[in-house]
Each structure stands twice: as structure tokens, then as C-alpha cells.
Amino acid sequence: MNGLEVENVSVRFGGLVAVDGVSLTAPAGRITGLIGPNGAGKTTTFNACSGLVATASGRVRLGGDDVTRLGPAERARRGLGRTFQRMELFDSMTVEENVSLGCEARLAAAVPRGFGGAPRSLGRQVVASRKERATAAEAADEAITRCGLSAIARRRTGALSAGQRRLVELARAHAGRFDLLLLDEPSSGLDTEETEHLGRVVRDMVAERGCGILMVEHDMDLVMSISDYLYVLDFGRLIFEGTPEATRQSPIVRSAYLGEDEGLAELVGESV
């Protein structure tokens, strides 16, 4: 499959089973949502997908290849990008410089053809060629424009609002031109207008580039409006999967959200 496949993955921290036999797919050309109450295991599942935590069992495939034992850098080279719930930006750099890093990091990890799969020399990883610099600049310009950041492209990232910084992080992921993106709480810190803009950006990325997106998100209005398919976790286990409409109507999902009144109200579209 051209995308991400998670097959019966479990993650343990000592005696704690954080993720218990989860299986899901996030194919190219689709926005796949991963939702659930707080502590359900969503971020841990993301970390298993990106190689930040080891799996106790199960497999992770990317583009049909088994990447279960590969680290984050190798998974990125194979086309897997990631944003984080806590933004990882360089505050002393400009928006333009931060966004350019998305493409430059992918280039640094690339394996050139014709060398038997041998990795680049240290010099080639540190010093990009003229063509690579041009490619990075073009990708950064496209991502900055797409995310509506042109007016602040030369501003230092540390001086931006939380919402603007979140869009910079998305633009950096966009510039990496990854085949599959993991978006961890992309609307965190955004106001309503910024969240709606982010939703449009994400939909356009998928429609125009054909990439796949797996998204963890607590904003139910956003996740229900832009996702094509949803998986629901609770206590580390997959309890439901289906379309947004089927998810909204599921009594199993409603039960999982009981006690989180605001989230449940947004999910089912009624007062609780």
C-alpha cells in the first residue's frame, strides 16, 4: 500500500501497556483522523509510527516496506514527516529559515542513486549543492505561500503568536514534501479563524500533492470536517473505526467520551 500501515502494534513502558494491539491504515490521498479521550494512547501510537518509541509487538509499514526496526531519520528519508504537540521551532531563525529546514533535512538524509545505496559523505550532508539549495528555496516559498505566511516570512519565529508558530510548523512539514505526514494536535493554540485556515491548507495539501495524513486532534469540529476516515482509541485499544458520520453516531464512541462533556458535545453535536 502507498501509505502507512500499522499492524497489531503494542507499546509497553515497564508493566504499563500504553498501546495494545492497534491496527490502522493511512493511505495516500486521504486524511485519516486518530481521536480518543485524554490518555487514550494517541501520541504513543504516533511515536511508534515515527520510530520514537520501540514496539513490543506488531509491524509498521511505509509504502509497503517494513520499517518497524528503523529509526526516525530513516523513516523520514522514506517519506514520513511529523509535527509535534509541542512545537519544535528555532526561535532565533526567521520563518523562511525554519520552513527551509523541512526540505533541507530531507535532502541531508537522502541516498543518491548509483552509489549502491551508500549514504552521503559528511561533507555532502553539511554543504548542499546549488541545485539542492534552489530546490529547498522553491519548496519553502511554496509552503510559505500555501500556509499564508508570506507577510511574515522575514520575521523571527520567536516573536510570533502561538497560532502563527503552529502554521510555521505545518509549512515546514509541507516543504519537506513527505509522502505521509503525522500531524499531532495541529490546531493547538489557534483561534477559530486560524483553525479554519489550517483545515483548508491540510485539505489542499492532500488534494494537490496526493500525500496521506494521519492526524491526532482534539478539536472535533476540525477533525470531523476534514477527515475522510477515523480511528478511535480508548485505554490504548482501538474501539471504533469508520467515517466521521458513523463515528458521530456510534454509541461506543459516545461512551468513551463520557466525562469529557465539552469534547462529547462537539463530537455528537448536542448538549450533554
Side-chain angles (χ1 to χ4, degrees):
M1 186 190 80
N2 188 17
L4 178 72
E5 296 176 89
V6 176
E7 180 184 332
N8 199 32
V9 161
S10 295
V11 178
R12 295 186 176 90
F13 300 111
L16 173 67
V17 180
V19 176
D20 189 3
V22 169
S23 296
L24 59 84
T25 60
R30 188 178 86 177
I31 297 176
T32 305
L34 181 62
I35 65 173
N38 290 331
K42 302 182 296 294
T43 295
T44 302
T45 300
F46 257 38
N47 289 339
C49 291
S50 58
L52 290 176
V53 300
T55 58
S57 62
R59 295 178 182 273
V60 178
R61 292 187 176 89
L62 186 62
D65 297 328
D66 190 339
V67 298
T68 310
R69 303 305 171 199
L70 301 182
E74 179 61 20
R75 296 189 197 195
R77 188 185 73 77
R78 291 172 180 244
L80 182 66
R82 166 82 188 263
T83 67
F84 291 85
Q85 190 172 358
R86 179 179 177 181
M87 288 177 284
E88 303 287 341
L89 297 172
F90 294 95
D91 288 348
S92 63
M93 299 172 66
T94 66
V95 170
E96 190 174 48
E97 290 168 337
N98 266 284
V99 174
S100 293
L101 288 175
C103 184
E104 291 170 1
R106 181 88 184 269
L107 289 171
V111 176
R113 296 180 181 178
F115 289 86
R120 291 176 163 211
S121 66
L122 178 60
R124 291 290 291 117
Q125 292 190 42
V126 174
V127 181
S129 68
R130 180 180 301 177
K131 181 179 179 181
E132 288 170 339
R133 289 196 297 271
T135 298
E138 179 184 352
D141 287 345
E142 177 188 345
I144 286 170
T145 300
R146 172 61 63 192
C147 293
L149 298 169
S150 299
I152 59 173
R154 301 297 176 86
R155 289 183 60 184
R156 190 169 58 84
T157 306
L160 303 180
S161 69
Q164 290 171 324
R165 287 165 56 82
R166 187 64 70 179
L167 290 171
V168 172
E169 187 179 43
L170 180 61
R172 185 171 64 182
H174 187 295
R177 295 178 175 173
F178 295 101
D179 301 319
L180 196 292
L181 278 175
L182 306 178
L183 303 183
D184 195 353
E185 300 284 358
S187 75
S188 178
L190 274 62
D191 61 27
T192 301
E193 184 177 348
E194 290 170 329
T195 298
E196 291 175 352
H197 175 63
L198 179 140
R200 291 192 295 270
V201 171
V202 171
R203 291 297 299 180
D204 288 348
M205 286 173 61
V206 174
E208 294 175 7
R209 290 177 42 205
C211 63
I213 287 179
L214 179 62
M215 177 177 65
V216 163
E217 181 54 64
H218 274 107
D219 187 320
M220 289 301 157
D221 285 339
L222 175 64
V223 76
M224 289 290 175
S225 65
I226 71 171
S227 296
D228 301 300
Y229 199 81
L230 292 169
Y231 292 90
V232 186
L233 291 179
D234 194 22
F235 295 108
R237 293 184 177 182
L238 183 67
I239 62 169
F240 186 83
E241 64 175 279
T243 65
E245 183 58 31
T247 303
R248 186 180 288 111
Q249 299 299 326
S250 169
I252 298 173
V253 177
R254 290 176 182 233
S255 176
Y257 274 86
L258 286 173
E260 297 193 7
D261 292 347
E262 183 178 352
L264 182 62
E266 291 178 352
L267 180 68
V268 301
E270 62 189 38
S271 299
V272 294

